Amino acid sequence: MDKYAEILLPLPLDTSFTYRIPKEMESRVAVGHRVIVPFGAKRFYTGIVESIVTKAPEGFEVKDIALALDDKPILRHPQLKLWHWIADYYLCSAGDVYKAAVPSGLKIESETFIEINPDYEPIGDEILSERESIIFQLLDHEGAMTVGTVATKTGLKNVQVAVNSLIDRGMIIISEKLVERYRPLRIACVRPEFDPASISEAFAKVKGAPKQEKLLLALIEMSGWQRPENEHKEVIRTELLKRADCTSAILLTLEKKGLLSSYKKEINRFAYDGSKTIELPRLSSAQATALHEIHQSWRQHDITLLHGVTSSGKTEIYQHLIADVIRRGDQALFLVPEIALTTQLTKRLQAVFGKDVIVYHSKFSDNERVDIWKRLLDTNNPCVVLGARSSVFLPFYHLGLVIVDEEHESSFKQYDPAPRYNARDVAIVLASMHGAKTLLGSATPSIETYYKATAGKFGLVSLLKRYNDIPLPDISVIDLHRARQTKKMSGTFSLETVDRARKALSEGNQIILFQPRRGYSPLARCRQCAWTPRCTKCDVALTYHRDIDRLICHYCGSEYPLPRVCPQCKEPAIETLGYGTERVEDEVTKLFPEKRILRLDLDTTRNKSSYETIVDDFSARKGDILVGTQMVTKGLDFEGVSLVGVLNADMLINFPDFRSSERAFNTIEQVAGRAGRREGQSGQVLIQSYEPSHPLFGYIINHDYLGFYNHEIAERERYFYPPFTRIIYLYLKHRDRGLIDRIAREYGRRLTDIFGQRIYGPERPSIERINNLYIRKIMLKVEVEASMKRVKEILREVYNEAMQNPMLKGLTIYYDVDPF
């Protein structure tokens, strides 16, 4: 009897696909295994086996699995179950989740290559353009390659036109090839090739050659060759040569004499050999009480919120909880919102847990991520995984604890592409599937989380004093309108901010300056006619970056030169306005030329190691002033910082979104918490604003989270916003502006027929065109207790019904559940 496999493919399709299992593969195809399958006319994909069935599907021809890749599953329970939960809740396909969850190195796919047609016979004299000739000669010299590689190697733009011309004439052909992206790391090792009984004969072969004798002796010592076989150690070639102070030529001579042999060994890129350097930190009485209360809370609730003010010592409590889990033989997941936070936390955790700490985030190369995946897959050893949001997808053996630090952070939300999930909420579901406990930690919990804690759905533990009773920083609001009227401004700084900064620096302290925007100037403009350069693909003004002298669109990434002459009025009157982190850095350098300034934003942290370098340098007092975006607000611990400046608080407050007040309060309170974190040091925070009387500042000055929460929860209840409802945004995109308006109105009308007054819109978002696609947004408010699976089914039915209209060709629709 034939067997069939239901295969999940990494494609945005709402179903799995059935393939026949060839007889010779039946022993190597099981749930969780990877298989190569044909899909469509020519493509091949790596699929995941979801189930094995014996009944053949009806109504279509069943293709065979092309190749079985694994001897054992690459997934653990309950990963597939979690993927389907994410797909149902966040209104996407399980294929979207699979594509996001598994590193690319584990997904072998076919790629389209172009190459010289071996059967091509020229007819007469072929006349090629210069571009066609360059491409043809490149392929003739180097063989098959992708169109992207051709463009890179030739430096030509729009190569597709020339490629299509060569294909039409039969000079080049298209082919599909399977490409495996993962490359294991292998190291060269050396082992002795003689037994202890013949040691004298071995040394006789190198007699009179002191270098060879030295190398042979070093090999025996390093390998433990004279000890029992189970105590022998791998000897790495480079380490052996260094120990013996010999060259490769000496080693090759011994190899020719048959005294040793070389071989390659595959190793994990993250085999951490460091040992533990400190014991678990001792807890203060307040921390010990909080730890006890957490354990008590877990008796009634699987999820507990630890509301601990900044610098109250939450990390030490986390370490004690992780130690308990590791002692039990389980694993722990420690989620942080930003990669930058892993820099300091990694060192603190490794000092206590050594090699049991595994770090995982998107800045790692694909090879590195595959190695971490395989390490977790191949072991059941207790460990703690420290990572950003993508670490919820790793193959855990048995989770005993999930910690989500800074749980309020919007960085836990994935925006594009699908799945648009919130890692905090997915982590809670993952913990539930493992039977693990969850601890959410924050100094400024999200409104939804605190509501659930006070309503009894979550446990609640409070730690409202800083470690060693260090006082919270003093916060002042500076009126920028008055400062400008009285000419007490220096660029973006009030003179009061400059004076306080100078005093803090003179006392040997450090400063953090927080500016929400990166770049040099948020706006370029002609001072004569007010013309503003805008992105040709997006309805947004361009940001000027002086370090590369380019205008950049922060939505699609397009770059443009800064015009020297206004294209509208033809005058050389282009100026840059406003302040980004780059311009703030420039001004600070002029104000304090003798001080060392560092900048922490997306532009300075493109590389994996740049986060660590900047954070480490500032921690080591190699910088006096740190200028940064939201990256400087999140959990970083610098003992030398006494002053924090928030340079443009209005940018946070005046944002058209129901969460804007919450975001502003959390961000400013968090960045304020970076000041005065050590005994004997008073912290100060200066907030510059044109609206100093804004009610939000009253709560911030008094560090009054509870007062802010009570005000905000009343507003949410009045206007029926989360946590009293669940919000889903539907985004419709099309290249035709007039058509998208008609489509959105009709789509909204159809949804209103089903959902009634739960539908709001359609409306134009503040940025209505991105990447040449016009956007319309519809908001759906559904009851908290509503089944998201049923909502998904209804939305799918409406979508399928709508897409039968040929007018909708080119329409893109996607959903954002629980937008942040």
Side-chain angles (χ1 to χ4, degrees):
M1 180 185 293
D2 285 338
K3 290 185 177 180
Y4 303 87
E6 293 294 323
I7 307 296
L8 180 64
L9 299 179
L11 299 171
L13 302 170
D14 271 336
T15 184
S16 57
F17 297 86
T18 307
Y19 288 85
R20 181 184 293 105
I21 306 173
K23 293 292 183 185
E24 66 274 15
M25 294 185 194
E26 286 186 357
S27 63
R28 299 191 62 210
V29 175
V31 174
H33 283 223
R34 293 176 305 157
V35 291
I36 302 291
V37 295
F39 188 79
K42 296 180 180 179
R43 300 286 292 178
F44 286 84
Y45 290 97
T46 300
I48 298 286
V49 179
E50 288 202 293
S51 63
I52 307 292
V53 297
T54 55
K55 185 178 178 181
E58 298 176 358
F60 60 90
E61 180 186 356
V62 181
K63 298 178 181 179
D64 284 356
I65 293 173
L67 185 64
L69 295 176
D70 303 309
D71 294 319
K72 61 181 182 180
I74 69 149
L75 304 180
R76 291 184 186 267
H77 178 76
Q79 282 178 282
L80 277 173
K81 183 179 177 183
L82 180 70
W83 291 2
H84 283 284
W85 180 88
I86 293 172
D88 286 339
Y89 187 84
Y90 291 103
L91 306 180
C92 62
S93 72
D96 284 322
V97 185
Y98 164 31
K99 186 173 183 179
V102 177
S104 296
L106 293 174
K107 299 191 292 281
I108 301 171
E109 294 182 7
S110 60
E111 283 191 7
T112 302
F113 286 73
I114 55 174
E115 58 187 325
I116 300 293
N117 184 355
D119 299 324
Y120 170 69
E121 293 182 4
I123 302 173
D125 293 330
E126 286 282 0
I127 300 176
L128 301 180
S129 68
E130 182 182 359
R131 293 159 64 84
E132 292 168 348
S133 179
I134 291 171
I135 294 169
F136 191 84
Q137 290 175 24
L138 176 67
L139 294 173
D140 189 38
H141 183 260
E142 297 196 21
M145 60 182 65
T146 66
V147 174
T149 305
V150 169
T152 300
K153 286 183 174 287
T154 60
L156 299 174
K157 294 183 178 179
N158 300 320
V159 297
Q160 190 65 56
V161 176
V163 167
N164 288 341
S165 174
L166 293 170
I167 292 172
D168 290 342
R169 283 186 270 178
M171 299 180 70
I172 64 177
I173 57 174
I174 298 173
S175 61
E176 293 286 323
K177 296 184 180 180
L178 287 174
V179 178
E180 183 173 12
R181 296 178 178 85
Y182 174 61
R183 295 290 180 270
L185 179 63
R186 294 184 172 90
I187 56 171
C189 296
V190 179
R191 59 178 163 234
E193 287 296 341
F194 53 90
D195 56 58
S198 57
I199 188 169
S200 56
E201 297 173 15
F203 275 98
K205 290 182 179 181
V206 297
K207 189 175 181 180
K211 290 274 188 184
Q212 294 178 30
E213 286 182 349
K214 190 175 180 181
L215 182 63
L216 185 60
L217 186 61
L219 176 60
I220 291 172
E221 291 175 352
M222 292 177 70
S223 66
W225 171 80
Q226 292 178 307
R227 294 195 292 270
E229 190 170 340
N230 61 358
E231 295 182 19
H232 290 184
K233 295 181 179 179
E234 300 276 2
V235 179
I236 298 173
R237 179 188 174 105
T238 53
E239 293 179 0
L240 173 63
L241 294 175
K242 184 178 179 181
R243 171 86 169 266
D245 192 23
C246 291
T247 63
S248 297
I250 303 295
L251 190 145
L252 185 61
T253 301
L254 293 190
E255 196 164 359
K256 288 179 179 178
K257 291 181 178 182
L259 297 177
L260 56 83
S261 63
S262 298
Y263 62 98
K264 289 283 184 78
K265 181 190 177 184
E266 184 176 328
I267 65 166
N268 191 291
R269 289 174 171 83
F270 293 92
Y272 174 74
D273 294 325
S275 57
K276 305 173 185 179
T277 56
I278 63 172
E279 296 299 318
L280 272 173
R282 294 186 62 182
L283 301 181
S284 67
S285 60
Q287 288 173 315
T289 299
L291 179 63
H292 175 72
E293 290 177 356
I294 290 168
H295 285 295
Q296 292 296 110
S297 173
W298 277 338
R299 293 184 176 183
Q300 282 88 34
H301 306 92
D302 289 333
I303 306 159
T304 291
L305 168 65
L306 174 59
H307 178 205
V309 297
T310 56
S311 196
S312 58
K314 294 187 291 294
T315 302
E316 286 80 6
I317 294 173
Y318 298 155
Q319 288 173 325
H320 278 261
L321 294 170
I322 292 166
D324 290 342
V325 170
I326 290 178
R327 275 194 294 267
R328 294 199 309 264
D330 290 338
Q331 296 172 328
L333 171 60
F334 192 149
L335 271 185
V336 292
E338 287 281 358
I339 297 167
L341 295 188
T342 63
T343 298
Q344 291 185 330
L345 279 173
T346 299
K347 293 174 181 175
R348 293 177 70 175
L349 292 179
Q350 284 179 339
V352 176
F353 303 109
K355 62 181 176 58
D356 293 331
V357 178
I358 297 173
V359 183
Y360 188 83
H361 53 65
S362 59
K363 284 288 184 179
F364 285 144
S365 70
D366 201 63
N367 284 334
E368 291 169 330
R369 278 180 278 172
V370 171
D371 274 349
I372 295 170
W373 187 285
K374 293 171 74 174
R375 174 178 170 181
L376 280 169
L377 198 63
D378 294 340
T379 181
N380 296 337
N381 293 336
C383 64
V384 53
V385 173
L386 172 64
R389 60 176 179 252
S390 58
S391 55
V392 297
F393 296 120
L394 287 169
F396 295 99
Y397 161 62
H398 188 268
L399 276 176
L401 172 65
V402 170
I403 296 171
V404 185
D405 194 25
E406 312 293 355
E407 66 81 28
H408 64 278
E409 274 291 344
S410 60
S411 301
F412 283 124
K413 175 74 173 179
Q414 162 75 18
Y415 292 98
D416 278 308
R420 296 171 179 84
Y421 67 99
N422 188 311
R424 174 199 62 199
D425 299 335
V426 172
I428 290 172
V429 174
L430 175 66
S432 171
M433 290 179 176
H434 278 270
K437 301 297 184 182
T438 301
L439 183 67
L440 308 175
S442 176
T444 55
S446 70
I447 298 297
E448 288 95 323
T449 297
Y450 201 78
Y451 175 78
K452 290 174 183 176
T454 55
K457 187 174 181 180
F458 295 171
L460 176 62
V461 175
S462 298
L463 188 60
L464 301 182
K465 288 188 176 181
R466 280 183 156 188
Y467 188 76
N468 282 343
D469 288 331
I470 295 171
L472 289 165
D474 292 326
I475 300 179
S476 304
V477 180
I478 297 172
D479 187 342
L480 289 184
H481 184 70
R482 181 179 297 174
R484 290 207 181 277
Q485 282 184 327
T486 56
K487 298 182 179 180
K488 293 182 178 180
M489 292 291 294
S490 175
T492 192
F493 297 96
S494 71
L495 293 184
E496 182 179 351
T497 301
V498 174
D499 290 343
R500 296 240 205 139
R502 187 170 283 116
K503 184 173 186 296
L505 292 169
S506 68
E507 293 170 351
N509 295 318
Q510 294 172 294
I511 295 172
I512 291 178
L513 298 174
F514 167 54
Q515 174 70 6
R517 281 185 176 169
R518 63 188 172 97
Y520 186 80
S521 285
L523 185 67
R525 190 178 68 185
C526 175
R527 62 176 172 270
Q528 294 291 344
C529 68
W531 173 85
T532 299
R534 304 181 76 84
C535 179
T536 60
K537 301 177 184 176
C538 311
D539 288 333
V540 63
L542 299 169
T543 300
Y544 178 59
H545 289 248
R546 198 179 68 166
D547 57 346
I548 57 173
D549 192 28
R550 303 283 284 177
L551 293 165
I552 296 180
C553 174
H554 285 179
Y555 285 83
C556 71
S558 297
E559 296 186 13
Y560 305 83
L562 178 70
R564 305 304 170 193
V565 175
C566 174
Q568 184 165 283
C569 69
K570 311 303 180 186
E571 290 291 324
I574 300 296
E575 61 181 352
T576 56
L577 305 171
Y579 288 81
T581 49
E582 191 183 332
R583 189 167 188 173
V584 170
E585 179 187 26
D586 190 44
E587 289 219 350
V588 171
T589 302
K590 293 174 182 176
L591 287 168
F592 306 104
E594 74 286 359
K595 298 301 178 182
R596 299 158 297 180
I597 293 100
L598 300 173
R599 177 159 57 93
L600 187 68
D601 58 24
L602 184 62
D603 297 319
T604 62
T605 55
R606 300 281 182 187
N607 299 323
K608 179 180 67 179
S609 59
S610 26
Y611 286 92
E612 185 173 353
T613 301
I614 295 169
V615 170
D616 283 353
D617 284 352
F618 197 64
S619 293
R621 299 293 190 106
K622 294 180 182 178
D624 302 298
I625 303 170
L626 178 64
V627 177
T629 55
Q630 274 84 350
M631 291 182 184
V632 301
T633 71
K634 301 171 183 178
L636 296 170
D637 185 14
F638 302 118
E639 64 178 25
V641 174
S642 67
L643 177 67
V644 167
V646 180
L647 303 184
N648 191 344
D650 303 331
M651 194 181 298
L652 299 171
I653 296 169
N654 300 318
F655 197 81
D657 185 82
F658 76 93
R659 295 187 193 273
S660 60
S661 291
E662 179 184 4
R663 272 200 216 99
F665 179 89
N666 291 351
T667 300
I668 297 173
E669 184 67 23
Q670 288 286 338
V671 74
R674 302 312 110 206
R677 296 172 69 93
R678 294 297 182 270
E679 202 166 357
Q681 180 190 69
S682 61
Q684 296 180 64
V685 180
L686 304 177
I687 302 173
Q688 298 191 158
S689 171
Y690 286 97
E691 300 180 60
S693 60
H694 194 288
L696 186 69
F697 293 133
Y699 299 119
I700 292 172
I701 289 171
N702 295 311
H703 302 283
D704 184 10
Y705 172 81
L706 191 57
F708 168 74
Y709 167 80
N710 288 331
H711 172 269
E712 188 68 12
I713 201 71
E715 292 286 299
R716 299 281 185 92
E717 187 171 20
R718 182 179 301 123
Y719 296 106
F720 200 44
Y721 276 111
F724 303 101
T725 186
R726 179 170 289 138
I727 288 181
I728 302 169
Y729 287 150
L730 287 78
Y731 289 95
L732 297 87
K733 294 185 176 182
H734 200 280
R735 290 185 179 276
D736 188 317
R737 184 176 187 174
L739 186 58
I740 191 63
D741 280 326
R742 294 199 300 274
I743 292 171
R745 283 195 298 269
E746 183 57 36
Y747 212 91
R749 192 177 301 117
R750 181 72 185 98
L751 290 172
T752 301
D753 291 342
I754 299 170
F755 291 103
Q757 294 184 345
R758 299 178 183 89
I759 293 293
Y760 299 79
E763 65 178 31
R764 297 181 181 184
S766 54
I767 309 287
E768 72 162 305
R769 182 174 62 107
I770 296 177
N771 254 334
N772 287 324
L773 291 173
Y774 290 94
I775 307 166
R776 299 295 178 262
K777 183 173 75 172
I778 297 172
M779 182 168 66
L780 168 60
K781 288 183 178 180
V782 296
E783 292 77 2
V784 173
E785 61 274 9
S787 165
M788 292 303 291
K789 188 172 183 179
R790 179 57 187 145
V791 171
K792 180 181 180 182
E793 290 170 356
I794 295 172
L795 292 175
R796 169 55 59 178
E797 289 168 8
V798 175
Y799 174 81
N800 289 339
E801 175 188 310
M803 294 310 289
Q804 293 175 19
N805 184 346
M807 183 176 97
L808 301 188
K809 185 178 180 181
L811 175 68
T812 299
I813 297 178
Y814 66 87
Y815 312 97
D816 186 5
V817 180
D818 300 338
F820 218 107

